[in-house]
Amino acid sequence: MKFGVNVPNFGPGTRPGVLRGWAETVEGLGFDLLMVSDHVVVTPDVAEQYPAPFYEPFTTLSWLAGITTRIRLGTTVLILPYRHPLLTARMAANLQQLSGGRLVLGVGVGWARQEFEALGVPYGRRGALTDEHLRAMRLAWQDEEDYRAGHIPIWVGGGSDAALRRAVLLGDAWHPLRFTLPWVDERVGRLAAIAEDLGRPVPAFAPRILLRLTGTPVTGEGRRAGEGTLDQVMDDLERLRLLGAETVLLDPFSGDPDETNHPEAAWHTLETVAAAYTKEHS
């Protein structure tokens, strides 16, 4: 099982030097994947979770591609309805080529109603638009003389049945975000059932989990995977491996904007978890 890190590309502490530090730290610790989030307009509903400034993902990843050498680069998740599909196809293909084939394109339908309104995109059609855009992008990438995309892995976010069908029909992996283990266990079974009904192979399982280490165990039905003591987190990772996870993305942002001013705390947590997992599986 491989591991990645969701790097905050937003918040008051985020600036070029900090993003460089994140990239160098994550790659230096041996992680396989670095991913960033996507918003275009920091409307009030977006700002509650992702405060300004917000660094656009394709621009940011293109810059980080020149700083790094090995680590894969991706989006978790790109909100497909926000951009014309041929623009997205072009930017993704160019980044794939310029990075030496290191792009992973995580995609989703979006949730911020005010941001959709600011962009003039119909919120009620976001699911249908996402499907249309994915098909248009894949068709564009067939033009190898122009796009030269090769194979860009598409990870489909979301937990609804519609999202699972999208992952089966149009994605390479299912990419659920920040969940409890009982929920994801049920959804993995549902994903397999949908794939069987559609006569398609089950896509890969590539979850993103919260990473929050605590001094004492976190209990209760609402405990999310990756939240708790180091022993709890190690047990969560093992349970995800047994569910078939090929890559697990660790998300160390707990929601306080001030965290972005002190990334060293998250770096230490990532180092602790990486060392513990390596020791356990060596």
Side-chain angles (χ1 to χ4, degrees), residues 1-4 30 32 72 205-207 209 233-250 277 281:
M1 192 165 68
K2 296 179 179 180
F3 292 94
D32 177 71
R72 292 186 295 162
F205 175 41
I209 66 171
V233 173
M234 289 298 104
D235 182 64
D236 291 345
L237 294 176
E238 179 61 15
R239 290 177 66 180
L240 291 172
R241 186 187 70 81
L242 293 174
L243 280 174
E246 296 183 2
T247 300
V248 175
L249 189 70
L250 305 175
Y277 191 86
H281 291 267

Side-chain angles (χ1 to χ4, degrees), residues 50-93:
Y50 303 97
F54 205 104
Y55 283 70
E56 194 279 327
F58 281 113
T59 308
T60 303
L61 292 175
S62 296
W63 183 62
L64 294 179
I67 292 173
T68 57
T69 58
R70 173 195 57 80
I71 198 165
R72 292 186 295 162
L73 305 163
T75 53
T76 178
V77 289
L78 191 79
I79 304 170
L80 281 190
Y82 285 173
R83 301 166 179 84
H84 192 285
L86 295 182
L87 174 62
T88 304
R90 176 76 62 191
M91 292 191 293

Side-chain angles (χ1 to χ4, degrees), residues 37-40 46 54 57 75-83 88 106-112 115-116 119 121 126 130 133:
S37 300
D38 177 36
H39 283 285
V40 176
V46 172
F54 205 104
T75 53
T76 178
V77 289
L78 191 79
I79 304 170
L80 281 190
Y82 285 173
R83 301 166 179 84
T88 304
V107 301
V109 302
W111 55 268
E115 188 175 19
F116 275 85
L119 292 168
V121 179
R126 65 194 188 281
T130 298
H133 286 206

Side-chain angles (χ1 to χ4, degrees), residues 6-12 14 37-39 41-54 76 79 110-115 123 177-178 208 224 251-260:
N6 182 30
V7 169
N9 54 321
F10 55 85
T14 301
S37 300
D38 177 36
H39 283 285
V41 187
V42 184
T43 47
D45 49 357
V46 172
E48 289 180 4
Q49 297 187 42
Y50 303 97
F54 205 104
T76 178
I79 304 170
W111 55 268
R113 185 182 292 270
Q114 293 172 352
E115 188 175 19
Y123 182 82
L177 314 180
R178 297 168 71 116
R208 169 178 141 195
R224 292 169 292 181
D251 185 353
F253 181 66
S254 296
D256 181 357
D258 189 55
E259 292 177 41
T260 61

Side-chain angles (χ1 to χ4, degrees), residues 54-186:
F54 205 104
Y55 283 70
E56 194 279 327
F58 281 113
T59 308
T60 303
L61 292 175
S62 296
W63 183 62
L64 294 179
I67 292 173
T68 57
T69 58
R70 173 195 57 80
I71 198 165
R72 292 186 295 162
L73 305 163
T75 53
T76 178
V77 289
L78 191 79
I79 304 170
L80 281 190
Y82 285 173
R83 301 166 179 84
H84 192 285
L86 295 182
L87 174 62
T88 304
R90 176 76 62 191
M91 292 191 293
N94 290 166
L95 179 52
Q96 170 78 337
Q97 188 178 28
L98 293 169
S99 68
R102 291 188 280 150
L103 178 63
V104 176
L105 194 65
V107 301
V109 302
W111 55 268
R113 185 182 292 270
Q114 293 172 352
E115 188 175 19
F116 275 85
E117 293 173 353
L119 292 168
V121 179
Y123 182 82
R125 292 202 66 239
R126 65 194 188 281
L129 286 171
T130 298
D131 293 346
E132 293 170 12
H133 286 206
L134 280 171
R135 292 188 177 97
M137 289 161 54
R138 288 197 178 277
L139 184 61
W141 290 337
Q142 291 178 17
D143 183 353
E144 277 296 327
E145 289 188 10
D146 184 3
Y147 287 86
R148 301 178 182 180
H151 178 68
I152 299 175
I154 292 178
W155 293 5
V156 176
S160 66
D161 276 11
L164 298 184
R165 285 193 296 271
R166 185 175 298 117
V168 170
L169 293 171
L170 299 169
D172 297 288
W174 178 48
H175 182 52
L177 314 180
R178 297 168 71 116
F179 45 76
T180 66
L181 283 168
W183 178 87
V184 83
D185 184 54
E186 186 275 331

Side-chain angles (χ1 to χ4, degrees), residues 8-28:
N9 54 321
F10 55 85
T14 301
R15 51 190 181 274
V18 172
L19 289 167
R20 176 190 289 271
W22 269 102
E24 292 174 344
T25 299
V26 169
E27 186 170 58

